[in-house]
Amino acid sequence: SALSSSSSPARNAAFIFIKPQANTHAVRQLVSDTLRQRGVVITEEASISAAQIAANKLIDKHYSAIASKALQPPATLPIPASFEAKFGVTWQNVLEAG
């Protein structure tokens, strides 16, 4: 499902993947209901076949994006301004603490 937060619809978007073994009507409904209860607007729902996933290398691209962040030095990561409010400590203090 393509998602956007109702508080900032142009900036935040996500894809939700439900693994094949969990992809039942009940799970899809639970995910949908939970997201909506939390104010997330679902703009689209679709299925992607295994052939499409393989042909477009969607899994490779997904994990590559995660891996590229994991390999960066922590001081170079883009940390949102909301970090301190959420965690009660600045990113600089976290870095200094090791």
Side-chain angles (χ1 to χ4, degrees):
S1 299
L3 308 174
S4 64
S5 168
S6 58
S7 63
S8 54
R11 284 189 29 188
N12 297 311
F15 289 102
I16 303 294
F17 296 99
I18 299 174
K19 294 191 175 220
Q21 64 272 26
N23 191 12
T24 65
H25 175 74
V27 169
R28 289 191 304 274
Q29 191 65 51
L30 174 66
V31 170
S32 178
D33 291 348
T34 301
L35 292 171
R36 285 189 173 99
Q37 288 170 1
R38 287 169 172 71
V40 176
V41 176
I42 299 174
T43 60
E44 183 180 347
E45 294 186 40
S47 294
I48 302 173
S49 71
Q52 290 172 303
I53 291 170
N56 294 313
K57 299 184 179 184
L58 298 177
I59 301 298
D60 296 340
K61 290 176 185 176
H62 171 71
Y63 285 107
S64 174
I66 293 170
S68 71
K69 297 287 188 225
L71 297 173
Q72 290 181 17
T76 67
L77 293 172
I79 304 301
S82 60
F83 181 88
E84 185 176 0
K86 287 183 181 178
F87 297 103
V89 63
T90 67
W91 182 242
Q92 186 59 41
N93 288 347
V94 171
L95 292 173
E96 290 169 1

